[in-house]
Amino acid sequence: MADSRRVTLKDIAKSLGVSVNTVSRALTGKDSVGEETRARIKAEAERLGYVPNPMARSLVLGSAMTIGLVITNPSNPFYARLISAIEHRGRAAGYSLMLLLTEESPDGDQNAAQTLLRWNVDGALVVPAVQGDGEHWARLSDAGIPLVCLNRDLADLELDYVGVDYERGAYEATRHLVASGARTVCLMEEDLPISPVADRIAGFRRALADAGLTGERVVSVPTRRLESLALPWEPADAYRLAQEIVRGDRLPDAIMVGNDYFALGVYRALTEAGLRVGEDVLVGGFGDHPFAAYLNPSLTTVALPSADIGVTAVDLLLRRMKGQDDHDRDHDRADKRRLPAELVVRASSRRGVT
């Protein structure tokens, strides 16, 4: 049976007749090893199948060379793109990624914070869970681990944040529906107590107020993330609520939804009632998920800069980890960054356009 024992620095040293210290210095890039010797050691390490032990390396370097990433649900297309951008940017800087999932659970949130502390990661990027006061994240920061909140801001805590300007995005989307002829607009939004939802509602209300329109309507859509972890949202509840809207006394001119998945339910309810999306009722979404452009009619929606958020967050975290900061602000002051979203106008909000 083949020897499955992990190859060590000692094995490489014995094979080449050099010291373990020389092998270690060669593989960690220390200048005190000649280039010819370094090349021989690297070639032998590759031949023997040597894989560095991250725990041992962290003890030598005094750093885990690891960034923690805590998110709620990886099946959300927004987070899928975010993870990819963060992993790519972190790897380019020499850091590995430790991914932890909370599934919107307060207990999962606290366990993630404890895990990151136990593994002594160099820094962490965190999408906070729905409930809880976030003190466990403050304790992680107080322990000397730099922390950047992603997509959801913990406004009561002095923590860095990189997310989307949801308020502006919702404002622009609502203003577009009004400009397209809507005088009554209904917003179907998630029932989660998180900053993106609050910001979208604020933007929606501001756009209607600026247009001099009254009689706003916000419908709260139940979120079943703890019942079914496969998808971040359920179109079924949006479908049921849209049916109630269609059967009601006042059919709105337009329906805007907090995410594109809800639009799937709205489309079905309107179509079954014999109403034409984009003609009888305008529809706007949020997220610009891959299916949005292929619905019939294609869905007007707000595209979110998920990759830019990932890159910006990693760069900010790296500066915090290195103790660097912009010259024009206090290093101890939290950096709150909201990146712009882009309204993508398609047929669902333009009467007569196919």
Side-chain angles (χ1 to χ4, degrees):
M1 180 179 295
D3 184 5
S4 60
R5 180 179 61 85
R6 187 186 188 113
V7 175
T8 66
L9 297 179
K10 185 176 180 181
D11 296 325
I12 302 172
K14 181 178 180 181
S15 176
L16 294 176
V18 298
S19 70
V20 173
N21 189 38
T22 299
V23 173
S24 176
R25 285 185 282 120
L27 296 180
T28 54
K30 297 295 178 59
D31 295 335
S32 53
V33 180
E35 287 305 316
E36 182 179 345
T37 301
R38 188 190 309 279
R40 288 177 55 228
I41 290 173
K42 286 186 175 180
E44 186 65 7
E46 183 175 352
R47 186 186 73 81
L48 293 176
Y50 171 72
V51 178
N53 184 327
M55 293 297 289
R57 185 168 183 258
S58 67
L59 290 174
V60 173
L61 298 178
S63 168
M65 295 302 292
T66 301
I67 292 174
L69 174 59
V70 181
I71 63 170
T72 57
N73 193 313
S75 62
N76 182 338
F78 174 87
Y79 289 131
R81 291 190 290 264
L82 184 73
I83 292 170
S84 179
I86 289 173
E87 195 280 333
H88 185 269
R89 194 70 163 191
R91 177 159 40 85
Y95 288 86
S96 299
L97 191 66
M98 175 186 288
L99 178 62
L100 300 173
L101 308 179
T102 65
E103 302 294 359
E104 303 291 5
S105 164
D107 289 340
D109 215 44
Q110 294 186 22
N111 290 337
Q114 293 171 1
T115 299
L116 295 176
L117 187 60
R118 185 167 60 249
W119 280 83
N120 193 32
V121 296
D122 296 276
L125 304 169
V126 176
V127 180
V130 176
Q131 294 114 342
D133 57 14
E135 284 300 322
H136 45 286
W137 296 123
R139 287 194 295 271
L140 192 72
S141 180
D142 291 342
I145 297 178
L147 180 66
V148 177
C149 290
L150 296 175
N151 197 44
R152 301 176 181 179
D153 190 16
L154 294 173
D156 294 337
L157 300 179
E158 196 70 10
L159 296 174
D160 292 335
Y161 164 77
V162 179
V164 179
D165 191 346
Y166 285 105
E167 197 273 347
R168 185 69 186 181
Y171 177 86
E172 295 293 347
T174 306
R175 189 172 70 168
H176 164 71
L177 294 174
V178 171
S180 298
R183 291 298 172 264
T184 54
V185 185
C186 174
L187 172 63
M188 301 182 69
E189 208 20 291
E190 299 179 72
D191 63 347
L192 299 178
I194 54 178
S195 60
V197 170
D199 290 346
R200 285 194 294 265
I201 293 175
F204 167 74
R205 287 175 170 164
R206 183 165 69 89
L208 293 182
D210 285 355
L213 299 177
T214 59
E216 68 171 48
R217 185 177 180 185
V218 178
V219 176
S220 183
V221 182
T223 305
R224 300 180 174 179
R225 301 188 189 194
L226 296 180
E227 296 177 19
S228 175
L229 304 182
L231 290 173
W233 299 287
E234 274 289 345
D237 285 316
Y239 167 66
R240 175 180 57 79
L241 291 170
Q243 285 181 311
E244 295 178 5
I245 292 173
V246 169
R247 291 193 294 261
D249 296 333
R250 296 179 302 148
L251 180 68
D253 298 324
I255 298 176
M256 192 170 83
V257 297
N259 67 74
D260 290 347
Y261 282 94
F262 290 167
L264 298 176
V266 171
Y267 266 50
R268 179 173 176 179
L270 293 177
T271 301
E272 288 180 350
L275 298 168
R276 297 165 299 171
V277 175
E279 294 286 342
D280 300 312
V281 180
L282 308 181
V283 179
F286 228 95
D288 197 23
H289 295 322
F291 58 80
Y294 297 94
L295 293 177
N296 186 21
S298 57
L299 178 64
T300 290
T301 185
V302 178
L304 306 179
S306 51
D308 290 343
I309 289 173
V311 170
T312 301
V314 171
D315 289 348
L316 174 58
L317 184 64
L318 291 175
R319 283 199 297 274
R320 289 295 197 188
M321 287 158 48
K322 295 176 181 177
Q324 299 173 352
D325 210 11
D326 298 335
H327 295 298
D328 59 349
R329 68 179 183 82
D330 187 354
H331 175 75
D332 294 327
R333 182 182 175 187
D335 191 341
K336 306 285 187 178
R337 305 188 186 187
R338 290 171 174 81
L339 306 188
E342 178 186 1
L343 177 64
V344 181
V345 177
R346 300 191 180 104
S348 70
S349 66
R350 297 184 297 183
R351 289 187 173 93
V353 177
T354 59

